[in-house]
Amino acid sequence: HFPIPKPDPIAVVKQKMEEEGLKNKDLTEWIGSKSYVSSLLSGKKPLTLKIAKVLHQKLGIPAEVFLAWDRLE
């Protein structure tokens, strides 16, 4: 048996955005300015529980993806 690595939530968000044809600007109405979204997706800003909840609700990403991540603030 081999352990399955936990997915990086930011990578999952980017994948979901690509699948849905969304751009960074499309997330601004949910989580903040375009520069904030860019900083979040590049790893410069932390993924907060509040933002994880919004992304879970709006993009349908399972909450477990966010909750199992070590860098959630």
Side-chain angles (χ1 to χ4, degrees):
H1 294 241
F2 295 98
I4 298 173
K6 297 173 184 161
D8 175 2
I10 298 300
V12 174
V13 170
K14 289 178 180 179
Q15 177 67 36
K16 187 67 170 180
M17 288 173 64
E18 186 177 322
E19 290 172 5
E20 300 290 327
L22 298 172
K23 304 288 183 200
N24 289 11
K25 67 178 182 171
D26 297 317
L27 273 61
T28 59
E29 64 185 76
W30 305 332
I31 60 175
S33 69
K34 188 176 176 186
S35 64
Y36 186 85
V37 171
S38 294
S39 293
L40 177 70
L41 295 177
S42 69
K44 294 178 183 172
K45 294 281 186 187
L47 177 63
T48 65
L49 187 57
K50 181 179 178 181
I51 293 172
K53 183 177 179 181
V54 169
L55 294 172
H56 161 69
Q57 292 171 335
K58 300 291 186 178
L59 297 178
I61 297 171
E64 292 80 12
V65 169
F66 299 109
L67 297 175
W69 199 43
D70 298 334
R71 293 181 50 201
L72 186 68
E73 292 189 5

